[in-house]
Amino acid sequence: MKKTLRIGTRGSALAMAQSTWVAEQLERAGYATQLVTVTTPGDRSMAPIAEIGVGVFTSALREALAAGEVDVAVHSYKDLPTEPE
């Protein structure tokens, strides 16, 4: 029996749309998938990013990967921490 790939994603509309697209592509390639919604500190706060910190939308996804709770993570490039040039 094939293992189901657990795809970690935020619960926002954009994240779910992107993760669903990835899941569909993987399923077309023959993989079973399951979307796993991960709540991040950024999802729980309405404060500006400058107040809550860089990486608040990706930290919980990284932790879920490290803990083996998900097999892959999908998130928007816009949510990745960047450094000013």
Side-chain angles (χ1 to χ4, degrees):
M1 183 160 118
K2 278 189 180 179
K3 178 182 175 185
T4 297
L5 288 175
R6 297 166 298 164
I7 303 170
T9 180
R10 290 180 53 225
S12 71
L14 176 60
M16 293 301 289
Q18 291 171 328
S19 298
T20 298
W21 183 86
V22 169
E24 289 169 352
Q25 302 313 303
L26 288 168
E27 289 171 2
R28 284 186 185 150
Y31 295 93
T33 65
Q34 172 190 5
L35 294 180
V36 178
T37 304
V38 177
T39 302
T40 70
D43 296 319
R44 291 187 291 269
S45 176
M46 295 303 292
I49 295 297
E51 287 180 25
I52 56 178
V54 174
V56 295
F57 292 112
T58 58
S59 59
L61 287 167
R62 284 193 307 268
E63 291 167 10
L65 278 168
E69 297 167 4
V70 299
D71 302 304
V72 297
V74 175
H75 50 79
S76 295
Y77 182 70
K78 70 176 186 62
D79 292 334
L80 294 175
T82 58
E83 289 185 15
E85 293 184 29

